[in-house]
C-alpha cells in the first residue's frame, strides 16, 4: 500500500506540473495585462507601461517561453511572482488560504457529517415523511444557484430577525479586523453564520443524495440481515454494518468535493464579501493578472493531488479489500 | 413421548435416545418442542395488491430433531423463517403464533427479539459471500456474535472464535481468524456462518438454503459440519431447501410447501415413499436421479406456481394438478390426515391416492422418442463432430497497476483431449473453477494460436479462413445458464429469434416462416412472437434461448448449465425437450453442468474435469457404475439421493479442502493433496503420485482414467 501510494504520488506530481505549466501558457497568451494601463486619462507613456509590466513579468512583448522560464524558476524557489499591482502573489495567496480555511473548515465538517446522516436516515425511512421532505428540500437547494441561495438567506435573516441583527458582510466588522480576542471571535462567528449555512446546505443537499442511494443498496443486503440475526438491534446493525459499508462509495466523492471547495466557493465568498481563494480565481482573471491566475491553477492542481491521495488513504482505511495491493 | 404424526422409525437416533431415557427423568423434557409455529400468515402490501406470501404455516421441532422444509422458489420458505426471527420489513403483516420454549415471540419488540436472535435461534443463510459484512474480518464478526450475548472480554471472545472456526473445520484457524470474507472460499464462508450461528449454543438453528450456492463436494462437507454443530449444541434444525436430495439424508421430518402453505408433512420415509399429494408426487417424479439406471422421460409438472397476489379460489395447485376435480376449484383443502393416510396432506383426493388411484400413474409420462437410426449406430461408425487434442489455455498472472509484471501462469485448461460424435451428448462435469467454462469459450473462439488443436466437423480451426469460420459459427451454437441475461429484454422474442437468421442473410419470407416454426419446436405458442422476454417464466425463457440456438439448424449445441437456474418441476420439461430435439434433429450436445444427476439423465458419455484436465472419461454407464478415478468416486458419492433409506446407509467419501488454484497446480498428480486414495497408499506408491503426472489409461472399450491406481468402486 505504501509503495502503491508513493508511485501514485510520483505519477500525479508530474501531472500537476504539466497542468500548472499548461495553465501558465494559456493565461499568459489569453490575458491582456496591458489593458489595465491602456486607455487611461491622462494616458500613460508606452515605456512606463512596458516598465510596469516588465516588473511583474507580464510584458506581452517578452516571448511567452522566456516569461514562463522566469515564472517557473521563481515557482521552483517558492516564489509565485508578483500580482499585477506589484505585490507578491505569495502574500496574497497565503492570506486568502487562511480566509478560505476559516470559512470552509467548519462548514465542510458539518456539511459532510450532516449530508451522510441525512442521506442514511432518508434511506432507512424511504418514502416516509422525513424522506420525502429531505428529498424535496435537497433538490430545491441543488436547483438554486448559490448566489440566489445566499441572497435568500440574507433576506430571510433580515425579514425574520430584523436588519442588522446578523452581520454578514466580510469576515468581521471593521473594528474587529485582525483581532482574535474573545469579542472578536464572537463577531467572527456571527459573520460566519450565513456563508457557513450556505455552504452547509449545498453540501448536505449533494452528499445526502449520494448517501441515500448507496444506503438503499445496502439496506436489502444479506449481511445486514446476518448482523441482525446475530442479535444486533436494528439501529446498531444499521450503523455498524450498514452505514459502515454504504459510506465507502461516498468517501472519494466527499474528499474531492471538500478539497476542491477551497477554490470552488467563489459565489459564496463573493456574496458575503470574504476574500478567499475562490474570489481570487475570478478577480485575477478579470484583472488580467497572469501570475495570480497561474498561482490559482497551480493551487487547484495541488488540491486535486491531495484529494487523490487523501481519498485513497481514507478508502484503504475503511475498506480492507483494497489494502492488500 | 407422544408423537402422533410419527408412528414409525424407531431406528432414528433422536428417538432412540428418548426411548432410553428413564420416565422419571425430568431434567430436560426433550419431547417438548423447542420451536412451535402455528398458523403463521405473512402478507406484504404491493402495488398490485396484497402479496400473501405465507398462508398458514404450522410446525414444531424438538431438540436434536431436523425438520426439512422443501418447495419451489417463491413458495414462502424464506419469508416464514424470517417471520420467526422477526426480521421482516415493517410493512409485513404477520399473524399467528411462534413459540420458543413456550414463550410467544410474535409481538415482541426489536429489543427483546435481539436478545433471542443469535442466542436461542441461530441462523445460516444462503450465498455466504453476501451474508458476511465485507469490511470486517471473519474473526471480528464472530467475536461480535459472542459479545452480544455473553460477557466475554475481547481476548476470551477471540480465543473462543478460534475454537469455533476449528470446530467447523477451518484449517489454520489462528491465522484465518483475521482474514476478511473475500479471502475465504465459498465453502469456508459457509463454515464461518455456521460457527457464528452456533457461537451461543442455540436451541434452534434455522438454515435457509445453506448449500445451494456450493459445489456438491463442498455441500457434503458443509452438511457434515452442520450435523456436527447439531451434535455439539443439541439444537433442533429447521432446514430450508429446494433440493429433495439434501433433505432425504439430513432431515427426520419434512414439510412440503406450495403457494405459501404446507401441503404435505410427515417423516421423510412417509413423504418420500408414500406421497399422498399430487404436488409432492410430481416433485419426486420430476427430479433426475443419480441412481436411475434406465433412460426414462422425466415427468414435468406443467404450468407455473400461481401469483401470490391473486390466488385463485380453491386448491392453489389445481391449475397444474392432473387429477383435479370440480371441488378442487371451489374449496381449498386443509392440512390434515386423510382417511387411510399415515400423515397429513392438503388435498381433496389424498384418501384415494394409494387406494384406488395409483400415485405413480397420475402424471402422464411423456413419450421418449424412439432412438433414431443415427443414435443406434455404434459409436465408431459415426462421424466426429468435435475433437479436442491437448487443448490448452493458460493465462498470465500479472501484478502491478501501471506496469504489469508476469508473476505466474493460471493453467485454466491444461491439456484436454476428447471427442464428440454425431447424435451424441457429452456431459462435462467438475467443481466450479475447474475450467469448464474456459474450455467452452476456447472451443467457441475457434482458436488459432494456443497449444493443442480444436477440430470441428473434421476441420482444424488453425487452418480456417474467414468464410470457414462463419459457416462453422452457424453449425455450432451455445445456450447459457441464465436465460434472462442472455435475452435482450427490449426485443420481442420474434425479433430475438430472427436476429441470427438476418445475420446469416436469410430473406424476409424465410425468416417469417422460420420463427413460428422454431417456437413450435420448443413447445411455445407461435402467437406469442410479439411478447417480450420478461413476460415469460424462467423455463419458457430457456426454451426461447434454445430456439434461438437452433434457428440456423446447427449440428452441435454447447449448453452451459442450461437448467441450473430452474426449479426442478420446470427443469424436467426443458431436459425432456433437449432430449427430444436431439433425436429429432440429429444434434450433438456438449453439456456442461455441475448437477451430476442431470448429467446422468441426459448424457451418453461423460468427461470429469479436475483443475484443467479430464481425469476420467467414458460412457455414462461405466462412469456411474464403475467410477475408477478417486475424484470421480468422491464427486459421485457427494451427490445426495432423494431416497431416505439409501441415504442413511450410504457412507460418503469426503474430500478435504477446496479446489486448489489453477495458478498453483500440485506436482505429479494434481489431485494428490485431496485424494482419499493417496492416504491409503504405501510410501513408494505415494512417491509415484507425487512425482509422476498420471496419463490417461484405458480401462475398458470406452472408459479411461488418469490415475496410477485407478480401480472401480461402487459409490452410489
Ligand atoms: N419484502 C417483500 N415484499 C413483498 N413481497 C415479498 C417480500 N419478500 C418476499 N416476498 C414474496 O413472498 C413470496 C415468498 O417468498 P420466499 O419466502 O422468499 O420464497 P422461497 O424462500 O420459498 O423461495 C414471493 O412471492 C416473494 O416475492
Ligand atoms: S386438492 Fe385437488 S387440485 Fe389440489 S392437489 Fe388435490 S386433487 Fe389436485
Ligand atoms: S494418481 Fe495417486 S494421487 Fe492421483 S488420483 Fe491416483 S491415487 Fe490419487
Ligand atoms: Mg428462499
Amino acid at each position: 500500500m505504501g509503495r502503491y501510494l508513493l508511485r501514485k504520488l510520483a505519477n500525479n506530481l508530474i501531472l500537476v506540473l504539466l497542468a500548472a505549466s499548461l495553465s501558465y501558457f494559456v493565461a499568459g497568451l489569453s490575458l491582456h495585462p496591458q489593458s489595465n494601463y491602456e486607455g487611461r486619462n491622462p494616458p500613460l507613456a508606452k515605456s512606463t507601461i512596458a516598465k510596469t509590466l516588465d516588473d511583474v513579468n507580464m510584458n506581452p512583448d517578452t516571448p511567452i517561453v522566456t516569461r514562463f522560464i522566469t515564472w517557473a524558476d521563481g515557482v521552483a524557489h517558492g516564489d509565485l511572482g508578483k500580482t499585477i499591482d506589484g505585490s507578491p502573489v505569495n502574500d496574497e495567496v497565503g492570506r486568502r488560504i487562511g480566509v478560505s480555511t476559516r470559512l470552509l473548515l467548519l462548514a465542510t465538517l458539518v456539511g459532510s457529517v450532516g449530508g451522510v446522516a441525512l442521506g442514511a436516515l432518508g434511506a432507512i425511512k424511504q418514502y416516509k415523511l422525513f424522506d420525502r421532505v429531505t428529498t424535496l428540500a435537497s433538490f430545491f437547494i441543488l436547483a438554486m444557484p448559490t448566489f440566489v441561495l445566499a441572497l435568500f438567506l440574507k433576506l430571510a435573516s433580515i425579514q425574520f430577525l430584523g436588519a442588522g441583527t446578523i452581520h454578514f458582510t466580510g469576515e468581521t466588522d471593521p473594528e474587529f479586523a485582525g483581532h482574535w480576542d474573545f469579542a472578536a471571535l464572537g463577531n467572527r462567528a456571527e459573520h460566519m453564520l450565513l456563508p457557513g449555512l450556505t455552504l452547509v446546505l449545498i453540501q448536505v443537499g449533494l452528499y445526502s443524495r449520494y448517501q441515500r442511494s448507496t444506503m438503499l443498496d445496502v439496506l436489502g443486503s444479506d449481511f445486514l440481515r446476518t448482523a441482525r440475526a446475530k442479535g444486533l438491534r436494528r439501529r446498531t446493525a444499521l450503523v455498524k454494518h450498514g452505514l459502515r459499508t454504504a459510506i465507502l462509495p461516498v468517501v472519494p466523492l466527499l474528499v474531492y468535493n471538500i478539497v476542491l471547495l477551497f477554490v470552488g466557493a467563489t459565489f459564496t465568498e463573493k456574496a458575503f464579501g470574504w476574500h478567499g481563494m475562490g474570489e481570487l480565481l475570478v478577480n485575477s482573471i478579470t484583472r488580467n493578472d497572469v501570475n495570480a491566475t497561474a498561482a490559482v491553477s497551480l493551487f487547484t492542481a495541488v488540491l486535486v493531488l491531495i484529494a487523490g491521495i487523501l481519498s485513497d488513504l481514507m478508502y484503504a482505511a475503511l475498506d480492507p479489500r483494497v489494502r492488500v495491493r | 413421548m407422544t408423537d402422533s404424526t410419527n408412528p414409525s422409525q424407531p431406528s432414528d437416533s433422536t428417538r432412540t435416545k428418548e426411548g432410553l431415557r428413564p420416565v422419571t427423568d425430568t431434567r430436560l423434557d426433550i419431547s417438548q418442542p423447542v420451536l412451535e409455529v402455528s398458523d403463521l400468515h405473512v402478507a406484504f402490501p404491493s402495488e398490485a395488491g396484497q402479496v400473501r406470501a405465507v398462508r398458514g404455516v404450522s410446525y414444531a421441532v424438538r431438540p436434536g430433531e431436523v425438520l426439512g422444509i422443501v418447495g419451489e422458489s417463491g413458495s414462502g420458505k424464506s419469508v416464514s423463517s424470517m417471520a420467526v426471527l422477526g426480521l421482516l420489513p415493517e410493512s409485513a403483516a404477520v399473524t399467528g403464533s411462534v413459540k420458543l420454549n413456550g414463550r410467544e415471540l410474535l409481538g415482541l419488540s426489536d429489543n427483546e427479539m435481539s436478545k433471542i436472535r443469535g442466542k436461542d435461534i441461530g441462523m445460516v443463510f444462503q450465498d455466504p459471500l453476501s451474508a458476511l459484512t465485507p469490511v470486517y474480518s471473519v474473526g471480528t464478526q464472530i467475536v461480535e456474535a459472542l459479545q452480544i450475548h455473553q460477557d466475554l472480554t475481547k481476548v476470551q471472545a477471540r480465543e473462543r472464535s478460534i475454537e469455533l472456526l476449528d470446530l467447523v473445520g477451518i484449517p489454520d484457524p489462528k491465522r484465518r481468524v483475521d482474514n476478511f470474507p473475500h479471502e475465504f472460499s465459498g465453502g469456508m464462508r459457509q463454515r464461518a456462518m455456521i460457527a457464528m450461528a452456533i457461537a451461543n449454543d442455540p436451541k434452534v438453528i434455522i438454515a435457509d438454503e445453506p448449500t445451494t450456492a456450493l459445489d456438491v463436494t463442498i455441500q457434503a462437507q458443509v452438511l457434515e459440519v452442520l450435523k456436527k454443530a447439531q451434535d455439539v449444541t443439541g439444537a433442533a434444525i429447521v432446514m430450508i431447501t429446494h433440493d429433495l436430495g439434501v433433505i432425504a439424508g439430513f432431515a427426520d421430518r419434512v414439510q412440503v410447501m406450495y403457494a405459501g402453505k404446507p401441503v404435505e408433512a410427515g417423516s421423510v420415509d412417509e413423504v418420500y415413499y408414500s406421497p399422498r399429494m399430487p404436488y409432492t408426487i410430481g416433485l419426486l417424479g420430476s427430479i433426475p436421479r443419480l441412481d436411475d439406471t434406465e433412460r426414462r422421460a422425466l415427468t414435468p409438472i406443467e404450468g407455473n406456481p400461481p401469483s401470490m397476489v391473486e390466488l385463485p379460489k380453491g386448491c392453489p395447485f389445481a391449475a397444474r394438478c392432473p387429477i383435479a376435480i370440480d371441488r378442487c376449484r371451489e374449496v381449498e383443502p386443509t392440512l390434515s390426515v386423510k382417511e387411510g393416510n399415515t400423515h397429513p396432506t392438503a388435498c381433496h383426493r389424498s384418501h384415494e391416492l394409494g387406494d384406488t388411484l395409483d400415485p405413480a400413474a397420475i402424471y402422464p409420462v411423456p413419450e421418449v422418442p424412439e432412438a433414431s437410426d443415427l443414435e443406434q449406430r455404434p459409436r465408431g461408425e459415426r462421424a466426429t463432430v468435435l475433437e479436442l487434442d491437448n487443448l490448452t489455455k493458460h493465462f498470465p498472472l500479472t501484478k502491478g497497476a501501471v506496469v504489469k509484471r508476469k508473476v505466474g501462469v493460471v493453467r485454466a485448461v491444461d491439456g484436454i483431449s476428447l471427442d464428440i460424435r454425431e447424435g451424441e451428448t457429452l456431459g462435462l462435469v467438475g467443481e466450479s473453477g475447474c475450467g469448464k467454462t474456459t474450455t467452452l469459450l476456447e472451443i467457441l473462439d475457434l482458436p488459432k494460436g494456443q497449444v493443442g488443436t480444436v477440430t470441428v466437423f473434421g476441420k482444424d480451426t488453425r487452418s480456417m479462413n474467414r468464410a470457414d469460420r462463419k459457416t462453422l459459427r452457424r453449425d455450432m451454437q451455445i445456450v447459457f445458464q441464465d436465460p434472462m441475461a442472455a435475452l435482450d429484454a427490449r426485443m420481442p422474442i420474434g425479433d430475438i429469434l430472427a436476429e441470427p437468421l438476418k445475420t446469416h442473410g436469410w430473406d424476409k419470407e424465410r425468416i417469417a416462416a422460420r420463427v413460428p416454426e422454431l417456437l413450435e419446436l420448443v413447445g411455445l405458442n407461435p402467437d406469442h412472437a410479439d411478447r417480450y422476454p420478461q413476460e415469460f417464466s424462467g423455463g419458457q425463457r430457456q426454451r426461447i434461448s434454445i430456439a434461438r440456438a437452433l434457428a440456423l439448424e446447427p449440428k452441435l449445441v454447447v449448453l452451459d448449465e442450461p437448467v441450473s437456474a430452474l426449479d426442478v418441476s420446470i427443469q424436467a420439461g426443458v431436459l425432456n425437450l433437449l432430449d427430444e430435439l436431439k433425436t429429432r434433429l440429429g444434434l450433438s450436445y456438449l453439456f456442461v453442468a455441475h448437477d451430476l444427476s442431470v448429467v446422468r439423465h441426459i448424457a451418453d458419455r461423460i468427461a470429469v474435469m479436475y483443475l484443467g484436465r479430464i481425469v476420467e472419461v467414458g460412457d455414462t454407464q461405466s462412469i456411474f457404475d464403475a467410477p475408477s478415478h478417486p475424484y470421480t468416486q468422491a464427486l459421485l458419492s457427494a451427490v445426495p439421493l432423494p431416497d431416505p433409506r439409501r441415504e442413511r446407509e450410504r457412507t460418503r467419501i469426503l474430500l478435504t479442502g477446496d479446489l486448489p488454484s489453477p495458478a498453483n497446480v500440485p506436482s505429479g498428480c494434481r489431485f494428490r493433496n485431496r485424494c482419499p486414495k493417496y492416504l491409503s497408499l504405501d510410501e513408494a506408491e505415494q512417491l509415484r503420485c507425487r512425482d509422476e503426472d498420471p496419463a490417461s489409461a484405458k480401462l475398458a472399450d470406452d472408459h479411461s482414467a488418469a490415475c496410477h491406481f485407478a480401480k472401480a468402486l461402487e459409490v452410489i
Side-chain angles (χ1 to χ4, degrees):
Chain A
M1 188 71 205
R3 275 185 52 198
Y4 164 78
L5 274 181
L6 271 181
R7 202 166 50 227
K8 184 158 173 171
L9 188 73
N11 285 345
N12 289 5
L13 211 58
I14 297 172
L15 288 180
V16 165
L17 293 180
L18 270 176
S21 311
L22 197 69
S23 342
Y24 184 87
F25 281 105
V26 173
L29 289 172
S30 60
L31 297 179
H32 304 288
Q34 67 277 22
S35 62
N36 289 359
Y37 303 101
E38 286 161 355
R40 284 209 188 169
N41 208 359
L44 293 172
K46 270 243 153 54
S47 59
T48 320
I49 297 179
K51 169 89 179 47
T52 321
L53 289 176
D54 274 336
D55 275 352
V56 294
N57 185 33
M58 288 186 214
N59 192 343
D61 295 332
T62 317
I64 181 80
V65 177
T66 317
R67 277 186 276 154
F68 173 72
I69 290 172
T70 314
W71 176 78
D73 184 56
V75 171
H77 293 93
D79 177 9
L80 295 167
K82 286 184 179 149
T83 67
I84 195 116
D85 305 331
S87 57
V89 174
N90 281 19
D91 293 354
E92 179 85 16
V93 167
R95 197 173 58 243
R96 283 174 183 271
I97 287 180
V99 174
S100 285
T101 310
R102 287 195 288 279
L103 175 63
L104 289 167
L105 208 60
L106 199 61
T108 49
L109 207 69
V110 176
S112 41
V113 172
V116 166
L118 223 62
L121 211 60
I124 293 168
K125 302 201 177 295
Q126 193 187 13
Y127 302 140
K128 297 230 175 92
L129 187 67
F130 177 84
D131 181 38
R132 284 175 203 274
V133 169
T134 50
T135 301
L136 210 70
S138 325
F139 283 127
F140 187 67
I141 288 169
L142 291 178
M144 219 188 316
T146 311
F147 221 83
V148 177
L149 178 63
L151 194 65
F152 176 82
L153 287 178
K154 285 189 207 176
L155 289 178
S157 85
I158 292 169
Q159 182 70 33
F160 294 112
L161 303 171
T165 316
I166 295 182
H167 295 193
F168 48 67
T169 310
E171 244 190 297
T172 56
D173 286 347
E175 64 264 37
F176 291 112
H179 291 275
W180 291 96
D181 54 67
F182 201 71
L185 280 180
N187 184 260
R188 280 175 184 275
E190 183 184 330
H191 277 260
M192 186 123 99
L193 206 61
L194 290 193
L197 194 59
T198 309
L199 289 167
V200 166
L201 284 177
I202 294 171
Q203 292 185 83
V204 167
L206 184 66
Y207 305 153
S208 68
R209 290 312 88 200
Y210 282 100
Q211 187 61 66
R212 180 177 180 274
S213 87
T214 61
M215 188 72 183
L216 277 179
D217 289 343
V218 166
L219 279 186
S221 70
D222 292 349
F223 62 79
L224 201 57
R225 198 176 53 175
T226 308
R228 292 191 66 201
K230 284 200 285 199
L232 284 182
R233 273 183 233 133
R234 189 172 129 87
R235 196 182 319 165
T236 322
L238 279 173
V239 173
K240 208 173 155 195
H241 290 258
L243 188 55
R244 173 70 174 71
T245 311
I247 208 166
L248 284 178
V250 181
V251 163
L253 179 104
L254 275 181
V255 172
Y256 273 91
N257 256 297
I258 290 174
V259 172
L260 286 176
L261 256 188
F262 275 78
V263 283
T266 314
F267 290 109
T268 314
E269 288 174 12
K270 281 259 174 208
F272 293 99
W274 285 54
H275 306 299
M277 285 299 288
E279 190 199 46
L280 180 60
L281 174 68
V282 180
N283 285 1
S284 60
I285 292 173
T286 50
R287 294 173 62 200
N288 286 302
D289 189 336
V290 177
N291 289 343
T293 310
V296 175
S297 306
L298 180 65
F299 183 67
T300 312
V302 172
L303 286 184
V304 172
L305 176 75
I306 293 173
I309 302 278
L310 212 59
S311 105
D312 273 1
L313 276 176
M314 298 257 309
Y315 209 90
L318 291 173
D319 191 347
R321 285 168 296 184
V322 302
R323 239 176 266 160
V324 281
R325 264 196 294 206
Chain B
M1 215 210 107
T2 48
D3 191 347
S4 57
T5 57
N6 272 310
S8 57
Q9 301 173 32
S11 65
D12 140 19
S13 61
T14 336
R15 246 150 267 137
T16 317
K17 264 186 245 152
E18 285 176 48
L20 292 173
R21 187 164 54 90
V23 204
T24 50
D25 188 350
T26 50
R27 277 175 307 177
L28 186 68
D29 190 358
I30 58 173
S31 66
Q32 281 302 306
V34 259
L35 181 67
E36 203 171 0
V37 174
S38 16
D39 201 28
L40 186 70
H41 283 76
V42 182
F44 299 99
S46 86
E47 308 217 328
Q50 245 201 356
V51 180
R52 298 170 63 202
V54 177
R55 307 180 304 123
V57 165
S58 303
Y59 58 77
V61 270
R62 293 165 182 76
E65 187 183 43
V66 180
L67 170 72
I69 300 183
V70 281
E72 288 173 283
S73 54
S75 59
K77 308 182 298 288
S78 301
V79 171
S80 55
S81 59
M82 287 300 111
V84 169
L85 286 170
L87 285 182
L88 288 174
E90 279 164 33
S91 62
V94 186
T95 59
S97 152
V98 175
K99 284 200 169 121
L100 182 79
N101 280 334
R103 180 183 177 204
E104 179 62 52
L105 299 189
L106 284 192
L108 289 188
S109 68
D110 184 49
N111 245 345
E112 290 167 306
M113 271 314 282
S114 57
K115 298 202 180 87
I116 292 166
R117 286 194 287 258
K119 180 165 186 300
D120 296 324
I121 310 179
M123 184 81 208
V124 181
F125 295 106
Q126 188 191 342
D127 202 359
L129 176 56
S130 56
L132 292 171
T133 310
V135 295
Y136 295 122
S137 74
V138 172
T140 310
Q141 299 189 50
I142 302 178
V143 164
E144 187 181 35
L146 286 162
Q147 287 188 320
I148 295 170
H149 300 290
Q150 296 179 38
D151 204 7
L152 295 177
T153 64
K154 257 218 154 87
V155 179
Q156 287 169 325
R158 192 184 151 86
E159 281 302 304
R160 182 85 185 108
S161 310
I162 296 173
E163 278 169 34
L164 283 165
L165 285 178
D166 191 37
L167 179 78
V168 296
I170 299 282
D172 196 4
K174 276 211 177 64
R175 196 172 56 82
R176 287 301 201 155
V177 70
D178 293 320
N179 279 177
F180 285 88
H182 68 276
E183 297 170 274
F184 270 30
S185 69
M188 281 164 62
R189 277 185 226 123
Q190 201 58 307
R191 287 166 191 266
M193 274 292 274
I194 295 175
M196 222 147 73
I198 60 171
N200 299 300
D201 269 324
K203 301 191 177 75
V204 184
I205 299 171
I206 301 180
D208 189 354
E209 307 265 10
T211 59
T212 300
L214 306 173
D215 277 308
V216 270
T217 47
I218 309 297
Q219 164 170 296
Q221 294 172 5
V222 168
L223 288 177
E224 204 69 17
V225 173
L226 259 179
K227 265 266 186 274
K228 189 168 168 194
Q230 186 190 27
D231 287 345
V232 174
T233 58
I237 295 187
V238 178
M239 173 88 160
I240 298 169
T241 175
H242 67 280
D243 188 331
L244 285 158
V246 168
I247 297 268
F250 196 80
D252 304 304
R253 284 187 303 125
V254 61
Q255 186 164 79
V256 182
M257 282 194 55
Y258 189 78
K261 249 186 135 157
V263 292
E264 181 152 9
S267 71
V268 278
D269 287 35
E270 285 165 344
V271 174
Y272 280 72
Y273 298 128
S274 40
R276 289 294 177 263
M277 147 80 196
Y279 176 64
T280 317
I281 297 169
L283 268 189
L284 286 164
S286 63
I287 35 177
R289 297 176 55 148
L290 201 61
D291 52 349
D292 261 349
T293 39
E294 70 196 270
R295 183 72 158 259
R296 58 173 182 122
L298 303 167
T299 46
I301 307 176
E302 301 295 337
N304 291 298
S307 142
M308 307 294 269
V309 179
E310 285 162 15
L311 269 178
K313 206 161 67 164
C315 172
F317 188 59
R320 305 172 77 188
C321 181
I323 55 165
I325 48 176
D326 288 346
R327 189 168 136 77
C328 303
R329 282 175 273 269
E330 291 299 322
V331 187
E332 177 157 13
T334 50
L335 185 75
S336 60
V337 186
K338 303 287 171 347
E339 197 192 317
N341 289 173
T342 53
H343 59 279
T345 50
C347 171
H348 293 311
R349 303 191 67 182
S350 290
H351 61 283
E352 296 170 60
L353 283 162
D355 185 21
T356 48
L357 268 174
D358 177 8
I362 63 171
Y363 282 90
V365 181
E367 274 174 47
V368 209
E370 188 109 346
S372 63
D373 293 346
L374 177 71
E375 287 170 308
Q376 279 172 358
R377 250 186 282 156
R379 184 160 196 270
E381 291 171 24
R382 292 191 235 160
T384 305
V385 174
L386 173 76
E387 190 172 355
L388 307 182
D389 185 24
N390 193 27
L391 180 72
T392 305
K393 178 74 185 178
H394 291 177
F395 299 99
L397 186 66
T398 57
K399 230 177 160 173
V402 188
V403 191
K404 299 225 181 302
R405 286 166 294 135
K406 193 174 153 183
V407 293
V409 181
V410 181
R411 298 168 188 276
V413 176
D414 201 20
I416 281 193
S417 305
L418 50 82
D419 65 330
I420 301 178
R421 302 289 171 105
E422 254 181 311
E424 184 175 83
T425 300
L426 177 75
L428 186 62
V429 296
E431 285 163 288
S432 50
C434 74
K436 302 186 297 285
T437 301
T438 314
T439 307
L440 291 194
L441 293 178
E442 269 304 282
I443 296 171
L444 290 171
D445 196 32
L446 307 176
K448 274 181 172 164
Q450 293 267 351
V451 186
T453 58
V454 177
T455 314
V456 197
F457 310 117
K459 279 190 212 136
D460 187 337
T461 54
R462 284 182 302 190
S463 60
M464 272 188 227
N465 58 26
R466 264 187 115 142
D468 285 343
R469 281 165 183 272
K470 189 161 179 191
T471 332
L472 212 65
R473 293 233 152 80
R474 192 188 64 203
D475 289 338
M476 194 160 78
Q477 294 289 333
I478 184 158
V479 175
F480 294 101
Q481 170 175 11
D482 182 358
M484 201 55 212
L487 300 175
D488 188 341
R490 287 158 305 180
M491 272 210 246
I493 59 163
D495 291 359
I496 291 178
L497 296 181
E499 207 182 21
L501 300 172
K502 271 192 206 136
T503 322
H504 278 84
W506 286 43
D507 61 39
K508 273 223 170 75
E509 278 115 76
R510 269 180 80 202
I511 294 180
R514 179 73 176 149
V515 168
E517 193 179 293
L518 280 168
L519 286 172
E520 213 148 346
L521 189 68
V522 295
L524 292 175
N525 186 342
D527 296 339
H528 292 172
D530 54 356
R531 297 197 178 174
Y532 289 85
Q534 45 292 20
E535 295 174 58
F536 294 87
S537 69
Q540 289 172 324
R541 279 186 219 133
Q542 198 55 294
R543 285 168 191 263
I544 298 165
S545 303
I546 294 170
R548 182 175 58 178
L550 296 178
L552 293 161
E553 303 182 327
K555 299 193 190 101
L556 172 66
V557 182
V558 174
L559 302 132
D560 192 1
E561 298 273 10
V563 293
S564 58
L566 306 178
D567 271 313
V568 280
S569 70
I570 310 287
Q571 163 182 310
V574 175
L575 287 176
N576 283 347
L577 172 71
L578 285 172
D579 237 353
E580 182 197 320
L581 289 173
K582 183 187 121 188
T583 303
R584 269 176 57 190
L585 308 175
L587 301 171
S588 306
Y589 292 145
L590 174 54
F591 192 105
V592 171
H594 71 277
D595 186 333
L596 287 139
S597 316
V598 167
V599 173
R600 159 148 226 182
H601 178 80
I602 196 137
D604 302 302
R605 297 180 73 240
I606 286 170
V608 182
M609 196 163 173
Y610 185 80
L611 213 54
R613 282 275 176 85
I614 305 281
V615 293
E616 184 161 3
V617 63
D619 61 282
T620 304
Q621 182 115 26
S622 310
I623 297 285
F624 280 86
D625 293 349
S628 301
H629 192 284
Y631 178 62
T632 315
Q633 292 161 359
L635 206 55
L636 291 181
S637 123
V639 181
L641 303 172
D643 187 335
R645 262 177 235 138
R646 291 189 65 178
E647 269 301 299
R648 281 195 288 267
E649 284 156 13
R650 273 174 96 192
T651 42
R652 292 230 140 76
I653 305 172
L654 276 187
L655 284 186
T656 50
D658 294 301
L659 186 73
S661 152
N664 194 7
V665 175
S667 69
C669 173
R670 57 193 60 209
F671 184 52
R672 71 175 157 81
N673 57 344
R674 293 170 85 197
C675 177
K677 182 157 209 159
Y678 178 79
L679 299 175
S680 67
L681 299 176
D682 67 31
E683 193 57 39
E685 288 170 329
Q686 287 193 346
L687 195 66
R688 185 156 176 231
C689 296
R690 278 202 302 274
D691 291 345
E692 193 185 325
D693 193 357
S696 185
K698 203 160 173 150
L699 304 169
D701 192 26
D702 183 13
H703 187 189
S704 42
C707 165
H708 297 308
F709 307 99
K711 188 162 172 283
L713 184 74
E714 201 179 315
V715 289
I716 297 171

